[in-house]
Amino acid sequence: MIATFTYAAEEALALPQTLFQNVDIFNGTENTLYQDHFVLVEGNKIASISDAAIEVREDAVIIDGSGKTLTPGFIEAHAHLMLMGPSLPAMESSVTWEDFAIHGTRMAEMYLMQGFTTVRDAGGANGGLRRAIDAGQIVGPRYYPSGAFLSTRGGHADFANYTAPVGEQTNFGRLNMAQEVDSVAEVNKFARNNFRMGATQLKYMQSGGVVSAFDPWQLLAGSPEEIAAAVAVADSYGSYVMAHSYRKEAIIGALNSGVRSIEHGFMFDCEISDLMKEKGAYITTNLTAFDPNLLEIPAIKNVPASLAKAKSASAAFEDYIPNMKKCPAPRAFQTDCVGSVDACNIQIAYEKKLNNDFFGAFESMKTLTSVGGELVALSGDFMNPYPEAKLGVIEVGAYADVLLLDGNPLEDFSVVGTGEKWFGAEKRPESPDSIKLIMKDGVIYKNSL
Ligand SMILES: [Zn+2]
């Protein structure tokens, strides 16, 4: 016993050390910077934080961060790394597993280089990409996939063409990227299959959408029993359900069925905020939905049915931002990009900017860090692939997922890598200049100091 203990202690001493010195810390939760601090990373965790010098071994890597801000790595709470577009029917009819895998690989690297050390995938990806990232075979963020979208016939993840017979096998179905579920039994079967295939939580399509073919955005898809069935399966894995919910009735129904993560939630109001608090729930919203130029997007402008839906949706969603300011609820960052790597890079940068425009720098920094960390941890003790420590915060014991930004994001938010333009924007660089260093799990992936 004594020999084993000694060996373990020696091994602990040998963990690689990285010392950040003279950094200003944004810790993910407080509206302040801790000036001129020292942060020691040992292995893949933050080992100590001090306003005085920290002693390290001779072989420690020392990084001087004078004038830089150390923040938690960013967390994307709603992406679709496999979905390259150009449209959902095009992917259903002619995209193969190779195309999806290659796109997902490139998206994963792009996300990490934009400062996102964690991504939660909101449908269309199983466990393979995560296994490859975590094994070090490809470069990417920590990754929380949802498996196949669970959607009713004619719902928001029914990507088949108009003439597809009911129950016919689809491309998305074969690859377990989207499954049609029209009964409690089907929800049970495909929800369980998602966890079998590597999902860390489930995604249920409970409302319709704007650019999809068959579903009015106001649709209440799935019965309360079906949604509750998804929640029960997730619960049996110690995890949770995220639901694509637009209408107030859909959001309230989801919360009352046990859904913990409301996606989009455009008709959010103070009553919903109260219910969210009672249930311990979160919301993620793509703020591009409130962009003044939304109706100019080609996928909307050029399709009369989508344009009509977008106009009625915009009118119904106009109180979201005032309501979120009046009755704040825990809100995580969401981009929801479906498209090429370059297009998604632009959309991410623009989504960062809109967060600051609508909610200011501190709320946006929390949204990008600590709130996302709490949200992904809902995947529970045995489905969470990263259960040993906290994400989204700078504190002793947390995972060493950190960025060094060239300036103070609470005063100049653009240092997080914002973009001024969405459609028509120029191609963005592989990584923003102002993100000087990217560390995930104690490993440095970028250092331009
Ligand atoms: Zn989505």
Side-chain angles (χ1 to χ4, degrees), residues 70-342:
L70 188 86
T71 75
F74 300 146
I75 298 176
E76 164 69 83
H78 185 129
H80 300 283
L81 296 199
M82 293 294 173
L83 305 185
M84 75 287 278
S87 68
L88 298 166
M91 286 186 279
E92 169 58 30
S93 64
S94 50
V95 176
T96 73
W97 64 268
E98 294 166 290
D99 304 313
F100 285 123
I102 291 166
H103 178 72
T105 303
R106 294 183 58 225
M107 284 288 283
E109 179 161 5
M110 183 272 284
Y111 254 105
L112 184 64
M113 289 301 129
Q114 300 309 309
F116 289 85
T117 48
T118 297
V119 169
R120 185 179 67 158
D121 196 296
N126 296 286
L129 190 60
R130 179 174 62 72
R131 288 194 296 273
I133 294 169
D134 290 352
Q137 292 161 342
I138 62 173
V139 168
R142 298 181 194 275
Y143 189 52
Y144 289 84
S146 300
F149 298 99
L150 301 174
S151 165
T152 52
R153 173 76 173 176
H156 194 49
D158 178 350
F159 307 140
N161 62 36
Y162 273 94
T163 56
V166 173
E168 188 176 72
Q169 182 68 270
T170 62
N171 186 24
F172 273 96
R174 274 188 296 273
L175 298 172
N176 199 52
M177 294 175 68
Q179 299 291 2
E180 200 174 299
V181 289
D182 288 300
S183 66
V184 166
E186 285 180 350
V187 169
N188 283 339
K189 178 163 71 180
F190 288 109
R192 289 169 184 147
N193 189 54
N194 275 343
F195 284 117
R196 175 186 183 276
M197 297 300 288
T200 53
Q201 67 286 320
L202 299 174
K203 171 73 178 299
Y204 192 89
M205 294 302 216
Q206 197 207 354
S207 284
V210 170
V211 292
S212 41
F214 313 112
D215 45 331
W217 66 262
Q218 300 93 335
L219 177 69
L220 295 176
S223 65
E225 292 76 21
E226 286 162 5
I227 298 162
V231 170
V233 171
D235 202 44
S236 67
Y237 282 84
S239 182
Y240 70 101
V241 174
M242 50 198 291
H244 165 104
S245 305
Y246 283 12
R247 243 169 87 178
K248 181 165 180 178
E249 293 87 333
I251 300 169
I252 294 201
L255 291 168
N256 283 328
S257 296
V259 167
R260 298 288 295 279
S261 183
I262 299 295
E263 304 307 298
H264 314 293
F266 294 129
M267 293 191 74
F268 175 87
D269 64 11
C270 291
E271 190 187 337
I272 291 168
S273 180
D274 288 344
L275 188 58
M276 284 176 62
K277 272 176 211 131
E278 189 189 312
K279 304 282 185 185
Y282 292 76
I283 188 168
T284 82
T285 307
N286 45 324
L287 301 181
T288 44
F290 309 111
D291 184 64
N293 301 315
L294 186 70
L295 301 182
E296 297 300 312
I297 297 171
I300 292 176
K301 190 168 93 177
N302 302 334
V303 184
S306 290
L307 184 60
K309 285 207 280 184
K311 283 183 175 165
S312 92
S314 291
F317 303 163
E318 66 182 4
D319 291 334
Y320 174 94
I321 288 163
N323 284 340
M324 184 59 76
K325 287 180 177 165
K326 195 160 49 162
C327 306
R331 185 178 62 83
F333 186 85
Q334 148 160 191
T335 303
D336 201 22
C337 185
V338 171
S340 71
V341 175
D342 288 343

